[in-house]
Amino acid sequence: MTRPQLTVVIASTRTGRFGPTVGHWFADIARKDETFDVDVLDLADVDLSPSFDAGPALARFSEQVGASDAFVIVTPEYNHSFPGPLKIALDSVRTEWQAKPVAFVSYGGLSGGLRAVEALRQVVAELHMVSVRASVSFHGAHTLFDADGQLLAPDAPLHAATELLGQLGWWTKTLKQGRTEEPYPA
């Protein structure tokens, strides 16, 4: 039996960003969990046009999003919200996101990116996605990982990631079955 496809989206594209550290940590946890086949989509490697012009980059992005059964968005918090390139990515395709679950791993300073997640929950609801309640949040993220990208004290984040993957797995199975039995009425 094939496992569902999970795409871990690294949302930050800034120079010197911390997103890949957090994103690859989570992708490794998800691979060890073995519920999903895990792919990482780094938005820094995707050249989407803010004007949503069709082209090869948009076609590849649409195909990757469409092929995925579930998503985990790894986001920092910028000015109490999420990065602009993530908004462009979310708005670039529509039906490819629909009736699929999404979870969030956030990082930042004192808020740990939680305000970005709250803003994202509104956006993904408009895309007809189902956001899972469990999340992982790193407060003061730069101080929590060593130079090799390993957590210095992994217990609490690992527990949160396990809970997130459990909820995401349930929603993925349920929504995939629903999409298989009857097309989503968008």
Side-chain angles (χ1 to χ4, degrees):
M1 184 174 186
T2 60
R3 294 185 289 193
Q5 181 65 42
L6 169 63
T7 298
V8 176
V9 179
I10 299 174
S12 177
T13 63
R14 288 185 176 179
T15 302
R17 65 207 172 109
F18 197 67
T21 299
V22 178
H24 291 292
W25 169 83
F26 182 82
D28 289 344
I29 298 297
R31 287 183 185 106
K32 290 174 187 168
D33 178 76
E34 297 184 349
T35 300
F36 299 96
D37 285 332
V38 179
D39 187 24
V40 175
L41 173 62
D42 189 337
L43 293 183
D45 299 332
V46 180
D47 188 23
L48 295 174
S49 169
S51 63
F52 309 115
D53 294 334
L58 181 57
R60 284 190 301 276
F61 181 74
S62 174
E63 183 178 326
Q64 187 168 11
V65 171
S68 190
D69 298 304
F71 302 90
V72 170
I73 296 175
V74 178
T75 187
E77 181 178 316
Y78 296 158
N79 302 315
H80 288 225
S81 194
F82 54 91
L86 176 57
K87 181 69 164 114
I88 291 169
L90 290 167
D91 291 346
S92 290
V93 295
R94 182 137 186 97
T95 59
E96 294 86 346
W97 299 115
Q98 291 177 346
K100 295 180 182 177
V102 59
F104 303 101
V105 174
S106 63
Y107 60 96
L110 291 176
S111 75
L114 292 174
R115 294 175 291 210
V117 170
E118 290 309 308
L120 276 166
R121 289 188 192 280
Q122 296 173 41
V123 173
V124 300
E126 276 303 305
L127 293 169
H128 298 250
M129 298 178 83
V130 175
S131 67
V132 303
R133 179 63 185 97
S135 64
V136 180
S137 176
F138 292 101
H139 306 264
H142 289 86
T143 65
L144 302 177
F145 290 83
D146 66 18
D148 296 323
Q150 299 301 308
L151 271 174
L152 298 173
D155 290 346
L158 183 57
H159 175 73
T162 301
E163 183 179 353
L164 180 155
L165 286 165
Q167 291 180 13
L168 191 64
W170 188 92
W171 277 109
T172 301
K173 179 182 175 185
T174 301
L175 292 171
K176 188 172 185 176
Q177 181 180 344
R179 290 191 315 272
T180 300
E181 292 175 5
E182 184 176 334
Y184 181 72

